[in-house]
Amino acid sequence: MLNIKELLEEIKASPYEEVEISVPHTGKVEFADLKVGDKVSGPSGEWKEKPGTVLAKLTRERNTKNIPAPEKGEIVSIRHDLEGKFVEAGEVLLKIRHFLSKEEVIQLILKKALFLFNAPEKAKYYFTPEIDTKIKGSGERSVKVREGLELFIVSRMKRETPLNYAGPEGLIYAVYFHNGDNVDAGQALIGVCPADQLKHIQEVVNRVQSEWEERD
């Protein structure tokens, strides 16, 4: 069983992740008026439709695009040596230190504590109608899965095939996609919790909810 106390202490020791911001395509770079230590905001709005702080601008063939911050955080490095230069796609411009939110810590722990059933190939995924109806009516934790259960429909190149669950018996605790999403191969579809560990997992979530201190 996962040592939750040890994992929590490990996360508390480094309660952040460093996000590298790279250019999506070739172009001439112009940085915004920012410096190391400045705080930036990520996308906002109900649907994250409002872009984050503009970090730089990239111009190619007289077409200029903003490069916004994907997460809120603090700038820890800027490649000022690239100012005004033409750079190749993938070049890292700066790094942001993003402090983990309470929800992100919970998701991090759950992905270590649960059994993750991953997409075997890149395709669109759907729950079978029976499972989908049960989830919509009673929530994902009402669904008990077992080896061989027909759980998903995989849609690829206009062909639909069933996908059976393979893994330990348990309850679906977390769903990591929406019906009809294009999911990359290896990406988690669901997280499964054995029924006898459900109470333990919930205690972990409650502990994070009460102990984790959010940072701006």
Side-chain angles (χ1 to χ4, degrees):
M1 187 176 291
L2 185 68
N3 188 325
I4 299 299
K5 183 178 180 181
E6 187 176 293
L7 180 57
L8 263 179
E9 291 305 315
E10 184 181 319
I11 296 173
K12 285 179 180 178
S14 299
Y16 56 81
E17 61 180 0
E18 290 198 349
V19 182
E20 291 187 337
I21 310 301
S22 57
V23 295
H25 56 72
T26 56
K28 183 179 178 181
V29 173
E30 179 186 354
F31 286 100
D33 186 20
L34 295 167
K35 61 183 183 300
V36 171
D38 283 352
K39 291 183 179 180
V40 296
S41 300
S44 59
E46 185 178 358
W47 309 106
K48 303 294 183 184
E49 71 279 4
K50 299 176 183 177
T53 303
V54 175
L55 305 173
K57 294 183 178 181
L58 189 65
T59 302
R60 183 176 67 174
E61 298 177 353
R62 298 183 182 180
N63 182 23
T64 300
K65 292 183 179 179
N66 291 334
I67 299 178
E71 300 279 1
K72 73 173 182 178
E74 178 183 308
I75 295 177
V76 293
S77 68
I78 304 177
R79 289 287 307 279
H80 282 303
D81 58 302
L82 297 177
E83 178 70 43
K85 293 184 178 179
F86 193 87
V87 299
E88 298 293 333
E91 185 78 58
V92 176
L93 299 181
L94 49 85
K95 291 182 182 179
I96 295 173
R97 180 168 290 167
H98 168 66
F99 289 94
L100 299 171
S101 68
K102 192 176 292 186
E103 184 57 33
E104 287 170 332
V105 172
I106 289 172
Q107 291 306 317
L108 183 63
I109 290 174
L110 287 179
K111 283 197 170 184
K112 289 181 178 291
L114 301 175
F115 170 78
L116 301 181
F117 183 71
N118 301 325
E121 61 180 315
K122 184 173 183 177
K124 288 185 177 181
Y125 286 81
Y126 303 83
F127 282 113
T128 60
E130 181 183 353
I131 298 296
D132 189 48
T133 298
K134 194 166 186 178
I135 288 175
K136 287 177 178 176
S138 306
E140 58 261 29
R141 289 169 210 172
S142 66
V143 179
K144 187 174 183 178
V145 296
R146 64 185 183 282
E147 185 79 23
L149 175 69
E150 190 172 307
L151 193 56
F152 301 102
I153 297 170
V154 184
S155 178
R156 188 170 183 270
M157 299 182 72
K158 298 182 179 180
R159 295 183 64 183
E160 294 188 344
T161 55
L163 175 62
N164 294 351
Y165 172 74
E169 185 174 302
L171 304 174
I172 297 179
Y173 193 93
V175 176
Y176 297 109
F177 77 107
H178 295 99
N179 263 348
D181 278 355
N182 262 312
V183 182
D184 289 331
Q187 183 177 323
L189 294 170
I190 57 172
V192 175
C193 175
D196 62 353
Q197 291 185 32
L198 186 61
K199 183 179 178 181
H200 174 67
I201 294 295
Q202 196 55 54
E203 285 174 354
V204 171
V205 171
N206 293 340
R207 182 174 174 181
V208 175
Q209 291 279 15
S210 61
E211 291 184 11
W212 191 259
E213 294 182 8
E214 299 274 359
R215 294 185 60 168
D216 294 329

Short mmCIF file of all heavy atoms in Angstrom, two decimals, residues 83-140:
data_model
loop_
_atom_site.label_atom_id
_atom_site.label_comp_id
_atom_site.label_asym_id
_atom_site.label_seq_id
_atom_site.Cartn_x
_atom_site.Cartn_y
_atom_site.Cartn_z
N GLU A 83 16.22 37.53 -27.29
CA GLU A 83 15.44 38.72 -27.64
C GLU A 83 15.78 39.20 -29.05
O GLU A 83 16.94 39.41 -29.41
CB GLU A 83 15.74 39.85 -26.65
CG GLU A 83 15.02 41.16 -26.94
CD GLU A 83 13.52 41.12 -26.69
OE1 GLU A 83 13.12 40.54 -25.66
OE2 GLU A 83 12.77 41.64 -27.53
N GLY A 84 14.73 39.33 -29.88
CA GLY A 84 14.90 39.83 -31.23
C GLY A 84 15.48 38.84 -32.22
O GLY A 84 15.71 39.18 -33.38
N LYS A 85 15.71 37.62 -31.77
CA LYS A 85 16.32 36.62 -32.65
C LYS A 85 15.27 35.67 -33.24
O LYS A 85 14.18 35.50 -32.70
CB LYS A 85 17.38 35.81 -31.88
CG LYS A 85 18.58 36.64 -31.48
CD LYS A 85 19.64 35.78 -30.82
CE LYS A 85 20.87 36.61 -30.45
NZ LYS A 85 21.91 35.78 -29.78
N PHE A 86 15.65 35.05 -34.35
CA PHE A 86 14.80 34.07 -35.01
C PHE A 86 15.11 32.70 -34.39
O PHE A 86 16.26 32.27 -34.39
CB PHE A 86 15.10 34.05 -36.50
CG PHE A 86 14.09 33.31 -37.32
CD1 PHE A 86 12.94 33.95 -37.78
CD2 PHE A 86 14.26 31.97 -37.63
CE1 PHE A 86 12.00 33.26 -38.53
CE2 PHE A 86 13.32 31.27 -38.38
CZ PHE A 86 12.19 31.93 -38.83
N VAL A 87 14.10 32.06 -33.83
CA VAL A 87 14.32 30.79 -33.13
C VAL A 87 13.54 29.66 -33.79
O VAL A 87 12.57 29.88 -34.50
CB VAL A 87 13.91 30.89 -31.64
CG1 VAL A 87 14.74 31.94 -30.92
CG2 VAL A 87 12.43 31.21 -31.50
N GLU A 88 14.01 28.45 -33.55
CA GLU A 88 13.36 27.27 -34.09
C GLU A 88 12.23 26.79 -33.18
O GLU A 88 12.23 27.06 -31.97
CB GLU A 88 14.39 26.14 -34.26
CG GLU A 88 15.51 26.46 -35.23
CD GLU A 88 15.05 26.59 -36.67
OE1 GLU A 88 14.02 25.96 -37.02
OE2 GLU A 88 15.70 27.31 -37.45
N ALA A 89 11.30 26.05 -33.75
CA ALA A 89 10.19 25.47 -32.97
C ALA A 89 10.74 24.61 -31.84
O ALA A 89 11.69 23.85 -32.04
CB ALA A 89 9.29 24.65 -33.87
N GLY A 90 10.18 24.75 -30.65
CA GLY A 90 10.60 23.94 -29.51
C GLY A 90 11.64 24.60 -28.63
O GLY A 90 11.94 24.09 -27.55
N GLU A 91 12.17 25.75 -29.07
CA GLU A 91 13.17 26.46 -28.26
C GLU A 91 12.52 26.93 -26.96
O GLU A 91 11.46 27.53 -26.96
CB GLU A 91 13.71 27.67 -29.03
CG GLU A 91 14.84 28.41 -28.34
CD GLU A 91 16.18 27.71 -28.46
OE1 GLU A 91 16.63 27.47 -29.58
OE2 GLU A 91 16.75 27.39 -27.39
N VAL A 92 13.16 26.64 -25.82
CA VAL A 92 12.63 27.06 -24.52
C VAL A 92 12.96 28.54 -24.28
O VAL A 92 14.12 28.94 -24.39
CB VAL A 92 13.22 26.21 -23.38
CG1 VAL A 92 12.73 26.72 -22.03
CG2 VAL A 92 12.80 24.75 -23.55
N LEU A 93 11.92 29.32 -23.98
CA LEU A 93 12.10 30.76 -23.77
C LEU A 93 12.25 31.12 -22.30
O LEU A 93 13.05 31.98 -21.94
CB LEU A 93 10.90 31.53 -24.35
CG LEU A 93 10.64 31.39 -25.85
CD1 LEU A 93 9.45 32.25 -26.24
CD2 LEU A 93 11.87 31.79 -26.65
N LEU A 94 11.47 30.48 -21.46
CA LEU A 94 11.51 30.78 -20.02
C LEU A 94 10.90 29.64 -19.22
O LEU A 94 10.32 28.72 -19.78
CB LEU A 94 10.80 32.11 -19.71
CG LEU A 94 9.40 32.37 -20.28
CD1 LEU A 94 8.37 31.78 -19.36
CD2 LEU A 94 9.16 33.85 -20.44
N LYS A 95 11.04 29.74 -17.91
CA LYS A 95 10.48 28.73 -17.01
C LYS A 95 9.63 29.41 -15.94
O LYS A 95 10.00 30.47 -15.43
CB LYS A 95 11.58 27.90 -16.34
CG LYS A 95 12.34 26.99 -17.28
CD LYS A 95 13.39 26.18 -16.53
CE LYS A 95 14.19 25.30 -17.49
NZ LYS A 95 15.22 24.51 -16.75
N ILE A 96 8.53 28.76 -15.61
CA ILE A 96 7.62 29.25 -14.57
C ILE A 96 7.54 28.22 -13.45
O ILE A 96 7.39 27.03 -13.72
CB ILE A 96 6.20 29.49 -15.14
CG1 ILE A 96 6.22 30.61 -16.18
CG2 ILE A 96 5.21 29.82 -14.02
CD1 ILE A 96 4.89 30.77 -16.90
N ARG A 97 7.66 28.68 -12.23
CA ARG A 97 7.48 27.79 -11.08
C ARG A 97 6.03 27.88 -10.65
O ARG A 97 5.56 28.92 -10.17
CB ARG A 97 8.41 28.20 -9.94
CG ARG A 97 8.28 27.32 -8.69
CD ARG A 97 9.41 27.58 -7.73
NE ARG A 97 10.67 27.09 -8.27
CZ ARG A 97 11.87 27.39 -7.76
NH1 ARG A 97 11.95 28.20 -6.72
NH2 ARG A 97 12.96 26.90 -8.30
N HIS A 98 5.32 26.80 -10.87
CA HIS A 98 3.89 26.75 -10.55
C HIS A 98 3.67 25.98 -9.25
O HIS A 98 4.00 24.79 -9.16
CB HIS A 98 3.13 26.05 -11.69
CG HIS A 98 1.72 25.69 -11.35
ND1 HIS A 98 0.74 26.63 -11.13
CD2 HIS A 98 1.12 24.48 -11.19
CE1 HIS A 98 -0.39 26.02 -10.84
NE2 HIS A 98 -0.19 24.72 -10.86
N PHE A 99 3.15 26.66 -8.23
CA PHE A 99 2.89 26.02 -6.95
C PHE A 99 1.59 25.23 -7.02
O PHE A 99 0.57 25.72 -7.50
CB PHE A 99 2.83 27.06 -5.83
CG PHE A 99 4.19 27.63 -5.51
CD1 PHE A 99 4.62 28.80 -6.11
CD2 PHE A 99 5.06 26.97 -4.65
CE1 PHE A 99 5.88 29.32 -5.86
CE2 PHE A 99 6.32 27.47 -4.38
CZ PHE A 99 6.74 28.66 -4.99
N LEU A 100 1.66 23.99 -6.57
CA LEU A 100 0.53 23.08 -6.70
C LEU A 100 -0.66 23.51 -5.84
O LEU A 100 -0.50 23.88 -4.68
CB LEU A 100 0.97 21.67 -6.29
CG LEU A 100 2.09 21.05 -7.14
CD1 LEU A 100 2.56 19.75 -6.49
CD2 LEU A 100 1.62 20.80 -8.56
N SER A 101 -1.83 23.43 -6.44
CA SER A 101 -3.06 23.72 -5.70
C SER A 101 -3.48 22.47 -4.93
O SER A 101 -2.96 21.37 -5.15
CB SER A 101 -4.18 24.12 -6.67
OG SER A 101 -4.55 23.00 -7.47
N LYS A 102 -4.44 22.63 -4.04
CA LYS A 102 -4.96 21.50 -3.26
C LYS A 102 -5.48 20.40 -4.19
O LYS A 102 -5.20 19.22 -3.99
CB LYS A 102 -6.06 22.02 -2.34
CG LYS A 102 -6.51 21.06 -1.27
CD LYS A 102 -7.53 21.73 -0.36
CE LYS A 102 -6.91 22.84 0.47
NZ LYS A 102 -7.85 23.42 1.46
N GLU A 103 -6.22 20.81 -5.22
CA GLU A 103 -6.79 19.84 -6.15
C GLU A 103 -5.70 19.12 -6.93
O GLU A 103 -5.78 17.91 -7.18
CB GLU A 103 -7.76 20.54 -7.11
CG GLU A 103 -8.50 19.62 -8.06
CD GLU A 103 -9.31 18.54 -7.35
OE1 GLU A 103 -9.84 18.81 -6.24
OE2 GLU A 103 -9.40 17.43 -7.89
N GLU A 104 -4.66 19.84 -7.31
CA GLU A 104 -3.56 19.21 -8.06
C GLU A 104 -2.81 18.20 -7.20
O GLU A 104 -2.38 17.15 -7.69
CB GLU A 104 -2.60 20.29 -8.58
CG GLU A 104 -3.18 21.08 -9.75
CD GLU A 104 -2.35 22.30 -10.10
OE1 GLU A 104 -1.67 22.86 -9.20
OE2 GLU A 104 -2.38 22.72 -11.27
N VAL A 105 -2.66 18.50 -5.91
CA VAL A 105 -1.99 17.56 -5.00
C VAL A 105 -2.84 16.29 -4.85
O VAL A 105 -2.31 15.18 -4.89
CB VAL A 105 -1.75 18.21 -3.61
CG1 VAL A 105 -1.23 17.16 -2.62
CG2 VAL A 105 -0.76 19.34 -3.73
N ILE A 106 -4.14 16.46 -4.72
CA ILE A 106 -5.03 15.31 -4.61
C ILE A 106 -4.94 14.45 -5.86
O ILE A 106 -4.82 13.22 -5.78
CB ILE A 106 -6.49 15.78 -4.38
CG1 ILE A 106 -6.63 16.36 -2.97
CG2 ILE A 106 -7.47 14.62 -4.57
CD1 ILE A 106 -7.97 17.01 -2.70
N GLN A 107 -4.96 15.08 -7.03
CA GLN A 107 -4.87 14.33 -8.28
C GLN A 107 -3.53 13.61 -8.41
O GLN A 107 -3.46 12.48 -8.91
CB GLN A 107 -5.11 15.25 -9.49
CG GLN A 107 -6.53 15.77 -9.61
CD GLN A 107 -7.56 14.65 -9.64
OE1 GLN A 107 -7.37 13.63 -10.29
NE2 GLN A 107 -8.66 14.83 -8.92
N LEU A 108 -2.47 14.26 -7.96
CA LEU A 108 -1.13 13.65 -8.00
C LEU A 108 -1.08 12.39 -7.14
O LEU A 108 -0.56 11.36 -7.55
CB LEU A 108 -0.10 14.68 -7.51
CG LEU A 108 1.37 14.26 -7.54
CD1 LEU A 108 1.82 13.99 -8.97
CD2 LEU A 108 2.25 15.34 -6.92
N ILE A 109 -1.64 12.49 -5.95
CA ILE A 109 -1.65 11.35 -5.03
C ILE A 109 -2.55 10.23 -5.56
O ILE A 109 -2.18 9.05 -5.53
CB ILE A 109 -2.11 11.79 -3.62
CG1 ILE A 109 -1.02 12.66 -2.98
CG2 ILE A 109 -2.41 10.58 -2.74
CD1 ILE A 109 -1.41 13.27 -1.65
N LEU A 110 -3.71 10.61 -6.09
CA LEU A 110 -4.63 9.60 -6.61
C LEU A 110 -4.01 8.81 -7.76
O LEU A 110 -4.19 7.60 -7.87
CB LEU A 110 -5.94 10.25 -7.07
CG LEU A 110 -6.89 10.73 -5.97
CD1 LEU A 110 -8.13 11.37 -6.58
CD2 LEU A 110 -7.28 9.60 -5.03
N LYS A 111 -3.26 9.50 -8.60
CA LYS A 111 -2.65 8.81 -9.74
C LYS A 111 -1.57 7.83 -9.30
O LYS A 111 -1.19 6.93 -10.04
CB LYS A 111 -2.12 9.82 -10.76
CG LYS A 111 -3.23 10.44 -11.59
CD LYS A 111 -2.71 11.12 -12.84
CE LYS A 111 -3.87 11.51 -13.75
NZ LYS A 111 -3.42 12.09 -15.03
N LYS A 112 -1.07 8.01 -8.08
CA LYS A 112 -0.10 7.06 -7.54
C LYS A 112 -0.81 5.95 -6.75
O LYS A 112 -0.32 4.83 -6.67
CB LYS A 112 0.90 7.79 -6.64
CG LYS A 112 1.88 8.69 -7.42
CD LYS A 112 2.86 9.35 -6.47
CE LYS A 112 3.87 10.21 -7.22
NZ LYS A 112 4.82 9.44 -8.03
N ALA A 113 -1.94 6.29 -6.14
CA ALA A 113 -2.64 5.35 -5.26
C ALA A 113 -3.61 4.43 -6.01
O ALA A 113 -3.83 3.29 -5.59
CB ALA A 113 -3.39 6.12 -4.18
N LEU A 114 -4.17 4.92 -7.12
CA LEU A 114 -5.16 4.14 -7.85
C LEU A 114 -4.51 3.29 -8.93
O LEU A 114 -3.38 3.55 -9.35
CB LEU A 114 -6.18 5.08 -8.51
CG LEU A 114 -6.96 6.02 -7.58
CD1 LEU A 114 -7.84 6.95 -8.42
CD2 LEU A 114 -7.81 5.25 -6.57
N PHE A 115 -5.26 2.29 -9.41
CA PHE A 115 -4.81 1.54 -10.58
C PHE A 115 -5.30 2.31 -11.80
O PHE A 115 -6.50 2.53 -11.98
CB PHE A 115 -5.39 0.12 -10.60
CG PHE A 115 -5.14 -0.58 -11.90
CD1 PHE A 115 -3.88 -1.12 -12.18
CD2 PHE A 115 -6.14 -0.67 -12.86
CE1 PHE A 115 -3.63 -1.75 -13.40
CE2 PHE A 115 -5.90 -1.30 -14.08
CZ PHE A 115 -4.64 -1.84 -14.35
N LEU A 116 -4.36 2.73 -12.65
CA LEU A 116 -4.73 3.50 -13.84
C LEU A 116 -4.88 2.57 -15.04
O LEU A 116 -3.97 1.81 -15.37
CB LEU A 116 -3.66 4.56 -14.13
CG LEU A 116 -3.39 5.59 -13.02
CD1 LEU A 116 -2.33 6.59 -13.47
CD2 LEU A 116 -4.67 6.30 -12.60
N PHE A 117 -6.05 2.64 -15.66
CA PHE A 117 -6.29 1.89 -16.89
C PHE A 117 -6.08 2.86 -18.05
O PHE A 117 -6.82 3.85 -18.18
CB PHE A 117 -7.70 1.31 -16.91
CG PHE A 117 -7.98 0.47 -18.13
CD1 PHE A 117 -7.38 -0.77 -18.27
CD2 PHE A 117 -8.83 0.92 -19.14
CE1 PHE A 117 -7.63 -1.56 -19.39
CE2 PHE A 117 -9.08 0.14 -20.26
CZ PHE A 117 -8.48 -1.11 -20.39
N ASN A 118 -5.07 2.60 -18.88
CA ASN A 118 -4.65 3.54 -19.90
C ASN A 118 -5.19 3.20 -21.29
O ASN A 118 -5.49 2.04 -21.60
CB ASN A 118 -3.12 3.60 -19.97
CG ASN A 118 -2.51 4.02 -18.65
OD1 ASN A 118 -3.05 4.84 -17.93
ND2 ASN A 118 -1.35 3.45 -18.33
N ALA A 119 -5.27 4.22 -22.12
CA ALA A 119 -5.70 4.03 -23.51
C ALA A 119 -4.64 3.23 -24.27
O ALA A 119 -3.46 3.60 -24.25
CB ALA A 119 -5.90 5.39 -24.18
N PRO A 120 -5.01 2.15 -24.92
CA PRO A 120 -4.03 1.34 -25.64
C PRO A 120 -3.57 1.95 -26.96
O PRO A 120 -2.52 1.59 -27.50
CB PRO A 120 -4.78 0.02 -25.89
CG PRO A 120 -6.21 0.42 -25.92
CD PRO A 120 -6.35 1.53 -24.94
N GLU A 121 -4.36 2.90 -27.49
CA GLU A 121 -4.00 3.54 -28.76
C GLU A 121 -4.64 4.92 -28.82
O GLU A 121 -5.55 5.24 -28.04
CB GLU A 121 -4.49 2.70 -29.94
CG GLU A 121 -6.01 2.52 -29.97
CD GLU A 121 -6.48 1.69 -31.15
OE1 GLU A 121 -5.98 1.93 -32.28
OE2 GLU A 121 -7.33 0.81 -30.96
N LYS A 122 -4.15 5.76 -29.72
CA LYS A 122 -4.74 7.08 -29.89
C LYS A 122 -6.06 6.93 -30.64
O LYS A 122 -6.09 6.41 -31.76
CB LYS A 122 -3.79 8.00 -30.66
CG LYS A 122 -4.32 9.42 -30.79
CD LYS A 122 -3.31 10.36 -31.41
CE LYS A 122 -3.87 11.78 -31.45
NZ LYS A 122 -2.88 12.75 -31.98
N ALA A 123 -7.14 7.38 -30.01
CA ALA A 123 -8.46 7.23 -30.61
C ALA A 123 -9.47 8.03 -29.78
O ALA A 123 -9.12 8.64 -28.76
CB ALA A 123 -8.86 5.75 -30.64
N LYS A 124 -10.73 8.00 -30.23
CA LYS A 124 -11.82 8.57 -29.44
C LYS A 124 -12.37 7.47 -28.55
O LYS A 124 -12.56 6.34 -29.00
CB LYS A 124 -12.92 9.14 -30.34
CG LYS A 124 -12.54 10.41 -31.06
CD LYS A 124 -13.71 10.97 -31.84
CE LYS A 124 -13.34 12.29 -32.50
NZ LYS A 124 -14.49 12.87 -33.27
N TYR A 125 -12.65 7.83 -27.30
CA TYR A 125 -13.13 6.83 -26.34
C TYR A 125 -14.49 7.23 -25.77
O TYR A 125 -14.76 8.41 -25.53
CB TYR A 125 -12.13 6.65 -25.20
CG TYR A 125 -10.89 5.90 -25.62
CD1 TYR A 125 -9.85 6.54 -26.29
CD2 TYR A 125 -10.77 4.53 -25.39
CE1 TYR A 125 -8.73 5.84 -26.71
CE2 TYR A 125 -9.65 3.82 -25.81
CZ TYR A 125 -8.63 4.49 -26.46
OH TYR A 125 -7.53 3.79 -26.88
N TYR A 126 -15.33 6.22 -25.59
CA TYR A 126 -16.66 6.39 -25.01
C TYR A 126 -16.88 5.25 -24.00
O TYR A 126 -16.39 4.14 -24.21
CB TYR A 126 -17.77 6.28 -26.07
CG TYR A 126 -17.67 7.25 -27.23
CD1 TYR A 126 -16.84 6.97 -28.31
CD2 TYR A 126 -18.41 8.42 -27.24
CE1 TYR A 126 -16.75 7.85 -29.39
CE2 TYR A 126 -18.33 9.31 -28.32
CZ TYR A 126 -17.49 9.02 -29.38
OH TYR A 126 -17.40 9.89 -30.44
N PHE A 127 -17.63 5.54 -22.95
CA PHE A 127 -18.11 4.45 -22.11
C PHE A 127 -19.22 3.73 -22.87
O PHE A 127 -19.92 4.34 -23.69
CB PHE A 127 -18.68 4.97 -20.79
CG PHE A 127 -17.64 5.36 -19.77
CD1 PHE A 127 -17.47 6.68 -19.40
CD2 PHE A 127 -16.83 4.39 -19.18
CE1 PHE A 127 -16.50 7.04 -18.46
CE2 PHE A 127 -15.87 4.73 -18.25
CZ PHE A 127 -15.70 6.06 -17.89
N THR A 128 -19.39 2.44 -22.62
CA THR A 128 -20.52 1.72 -23.22
C THR A 128 -21.81 2.36 -22.70
O THR A 128 -21.83 2.95 -21.61
CB THR A 128 -20.50 0.23 -22.84
OG1 THR A 128 -20.59 0.11 -21.42
CG2 THR A 128 -19.24 -0.45 -23.33
N PRO A 129 -22.91 2.30 -23.47
CA PRO A 129 -24.15 2.95 -23.04
C PRO A 129 -24.59 2.59 -21.62
O PRO A 129 -25.03 3.44 -20.85
CB PRO A 129 -25.17 2.47 -24.08
CG PRO A 129 -24.33 2.24 -25.31
CD PRO A 129 -23.04 1.69 -24.80
N GLU A 130 -24.46 1.32 -21.27
CA GLU A 130 -24.89 0.86 -19.94
C GLU A 130 -24.05 1.52 -18.84
O GLU A 130 -24.60 2.02 -17.85
CB GLU A 130 -24.76 -0.66 -19.85
CG GLU A 130 -25.21 -1.22 -18.50
CD GLU A 130 -25.00 -2.73 -18.40
OE1 GLU A 130 -24.64 -3.35 -19.41
OE2 GLU A 130 -25.19 -3.27 -17.31
N ILE A 131 -22.75 1.55 -19.03
CA ILE A 131 -21.87 2.16 -18.03
C ILE A 131 -22.08 3.66 -17.98
O ILE A 131 -22.12 4.27 -16.90
CB ILE A 131 -20.39 1.84 -18.35
CG1 ILE A 131 -20.14 0.32 -18.31
CG2 ILE A 131 -19.46 2.57 -17.39
CD1 ILE A 131 -20.33 -0.31 -16.96
N ASP A 132 -22.25 4.27 -19.15
CA ASP A 132 -22.45 5.73 -19.23
C ASP A 132 -23.71 6.14 -18.48
O ASP A 132 -23.72 7.14 -17.73
CB ASP A 132 -22.53 6.16 -20.70
CG ASP A 132 -22.52 7.67 -20.85
OD1 ASP A 132 -21.66 8.34 -20.23
OD2 ASP A 132 -23.37 8.19 -21.59
N THR A 133 -24.77 5.37 -18.65
CA THR A 133 -26.04 5.67 -17.97
C THR A 133 -25.88 5.58 -16.46
O THR A 133 -26.38 6.42 -15.71
CB THR A 133 -27.14 4.69 -18.44
OG1 THR A 133 -27.35 4.86 -19.84
CG2 THR A 133 -28.45 4.95 -17.71
N LYS A 134 -25.15 4.57 -16.01
CA LYS A 134 -24.95 4.38 -14.57
C LYS A 134 -24.12 5.51 -13.98
O LYS A 134 -24.42 6.02 -12.89
CB LYS A 134 -24.26 3.03 -14.32
CG LYS A 134 -24.32 2.59 -12.86
CD LYS A 134 -23.94 1.12 -12.73
CE LYS A 134 -24.14 0.66 -11.28
NZ LYS A 134 -23.82 -0.76 -11.11
N ILE A 135 -23.07 5.93 -14.69
CA ILE A 135 -22.22 7.02 -14.21
C ILE A 135 -23.02 8.32 -14.12
O ILE A 135 -22.93 9.05 -13.14
CB ILE A 135 -20.98 7.19 -15.12
CG1 ILE A 135 -20.02 6.02 -14.90
CG2 ILE A 135 -20.27 8.51 -14.83
CD1 ILE A 135 -18.82 6.03 -15.83
N LYS A 136 -23.80 8.61 -15.16
CA LYS A 136 -24.59 9.84 -15.18
C LYS A 136 -25.66 9.83 -14.10
O LYS A 136 -26.02 10.88 -13.54
CB LYS A 136 -25.23 10.04 -16.55
CG LYS A 136 -24.23 10.46 -17.62
CD LYS A 136 -24.88 10.58 -18.98
CE LYS A 136 -23.87 11.05 -20.02
NZ LYS A 136 -24.46 11.10 -21.40
N GLY A 137 -26.18 8.65 -13.78
CA GLY A 137 -27.25 8.55 -12.79
C GLY A 137 -26.75 8.51 -11.36
O GLY A 137 -27.33 9.14 -10.47
N SER A 138 -25.66 7.78 -11.11
CA SER A 138 -25.22 7.56 -9.72
C SER A 138 -23.76 7.92 -9.46
O SER A 138 -23.28 7.76 -8.34
CB SER A 138 -25.45 6.09 -9.35
OG SER A 138 -26.78 5.71 -9.58
N GLY A 139 -23.04 8.38 -10.48
CA GLY A 139 -21.64 8.74 -10.29
C GLY A 139 -20.71 7.59 -10.60
O GLY A 139 -21.11 6.42 -10.58
N GLU A 140 -19.43 7.93 -10.89
CA GLU A 140 -18.49 6.88 -11.30
C GLU A 140 -18.23 5.83 -10.23
O GLU A 140 -17.93 4.68 -10.53
CB GLU A 140 -17.16 7.50 -11.77
CG GLU A 140 -16.45 8.35 -10.77
CD GLU A 140 -16.71 9.84 -11.00
OE1 GLU A 140 -17.80 10.17 -11.51
OE2 GLU A 140 -15.84 10.64 -10.66
#
